[in-house]
Amino acid sequence: MPGPLRPKPLHPDALGVPGERLQKVLAAAGVASRRVAEELIVAGRVRVNGQIVTTLGTRVNPEADKVAVDGVAVQLDASKRYVMLNKPTGVISSSSDDKGRRDLTEFTGGYPERLFNVGRLDYDTSGLLLLTNDGELAQVLAHPSFGVSKTYLAKVRGEVTPQTIQLLKRGIELEDGPIAADAAKLVGGAGQGGASLVELTIHSGRNRVVRRMLDAVGHPVIELVRRSFGPLHLGSLASGATRDLTKVELGQLLTLARSAESDRKDPQ
């Protein structure tokens, strides 16, 4: 005599469980096909809010849950946008200006999202500026404790010596406290025009700090370009041009930001 019929387990979609299936949102985020995403989950390579998840029926909220694959953060919220701008000189890092100067709306107007800048570049400084509508990420990156690394290429007056490079790395005293470069090197010696090229990496967010550092060692800045911001590099992006971050760049940036946010909440 056959035994009692056992009810077939309901698919998560039929249970009214809130959220979306993890493999579905991973596929939608471009991480992998749904089948490969399932393999990643079963293999224990996916974390949700810091915890390894191996159950295929797991539901997540793309707008709130933090997901990572192989330790690299994934953005599940498709409404978020991340854009790199090579800001020209003569443009303020703002969406408006009461003095009528060029502002960032010149470069963000073509995007359907309302983008705002993460950090600032001086009016007379060009280079990499991150634009996004991700307020949470912007808040983490802008926090004083974050200290994202930034690399600048400076054309300065005079012939910079190796001794001056060492001084910049050891540290100098400015009016608002001591400061040292994380890295510094001479890229080009003084030519006919009497100018040198210096590459400087810092993590401080203090106002006009690169210009003030170089001025303090006797080499006022003629031109200044920010070449990198954290894991992002300007590369060959033309002045005034924009582009969306690649998935690799975004993963690196989100991973860095989430790590910093976690450290800030749990300093132990």
Side-chain angles (χ1 to χ4, degrees):
M1 184 173 178
L5 293 176
R6 296 179 181 273
K8 185 179 180 180
L10 289 174
H11 191 278
D13 285 339
L15 295 173
V17 179
E20 298 182 51
R21 283 174 293 155
L22 180 56
Q23 58 265 44
K24 179 181 178 181
V25 295
L26 285 175
V31 173
S33 68
R34 197 175 301 191
R35 175 168 293 187
V36 173
E38 291 176 350
E39 294 173 357
L40 293 172
I41 294 168
V42 172
R45 295 168 62 183
V46 180
R47 289 179 181 266
V48 178
N49 300 325
Q51 301 299 315
I52 294 176
V53 172
T54 57
T55 304
L56 293 180
T58 299
R59 295 275 182 158
V60 295
N61 180 352
E63 296 182 3
D65 290 323
K66 303 289 193 298
V67 175
V69 177
D70 292 334
V72 178
V74 178
Q75 178 56 273
L76 303 180
D77 188 351
S79 70
K80 297 295 189 289
R81 190 157 203 158
Y82 308 85
V83 174
M84 181 188 298
L85 165 68
N86 185 350
K87 186 190 87 68
T89 57
V91 176
I92 65 163
S93 296
S94 176
S95 58
S96 63
D97 180 50
D98 54 10
K99 297 179 181 178
R101 294 174 294 182
R102 294 171 66 192
D103 59 46
L104 296 178
T105 57
E106 179 179 334
F107 311 99
T108 60
Y111 292 93
E113 302 86 358
R114 184 180 179 185
L115 303 177
F116 49 90
N117 49 298
V118 178
R120 305 176 67 84
L121 283 178
D122 298 332
Y123 180 76
D124 47 1
T125 298
S126 63
L128 197 162
L129 190 62
L130 178 63
L131 307 171
T132 186
N133 61 344
D134 187 340
E136 184 179 355
L137 176 78
Q139 187 177 24
V140 173
L141 295 180
H143 195 276
S145 66
F146 184 69
V148 61
S149 177
K150 298 164 284 253
T151 298
Y152 295 82
L153 184 62
K155 181 179 180 181
V156 301
R157 298 190 189 282
E159 185 168 358
V160 176
T161 65
Q163 291 77 17
T164 299
I165 295 295
Q166 290 305 313
L167 176 59
L168 289 167
K169 291 193 286 187
R170 285 199 308 271
I172 56 176
E173 189 74 30
L174 299 178
E175 64 272 15
D176 53 355
I179 183 75
D182 300 325
K185 66 179 180 179
L186 183 62
V187 178
Q192 258 188 334
S196 302
L197 286 177
V198 176
E199 185 179 274
L200 208 62
T201 300
I202 62 168
H203 62 269
S204 170
R206 286 150 64 175
N207 187 43
R208 298 177 68 86
V209 69
V210 173
R211 291 178 181 275
R212 292 190 289 127
M213 289 175 71
L214 290 167
D215 191 58
V217 295
H219 297 282
V221 170
I222 301 170
E223 297 176 19
L224 187 62
V225 182
R226 183 157 74 187
R227 300 293 305 173
S228 72
F229 179 84
L232 308 180
H233 297 271
L234 192 61
S236 60
L237 188 65
S239 178
T242 61
R243 68 167 176 83
D244 289 294
L245 298 191
T246 66
K247 290 193 182 300
V248 171
E249 289 172 333
L250 179 55
Q252 293 172 336
L253 190 66
L254 290 174
T255 301
L256 186 64
R258 289 179 188 177
S259 175
E261 185 179 24
S262 177
D263 290 344
R264 199 171 75 230
K265 290 180 178 178
D266 184 16
Q268 299 301 322

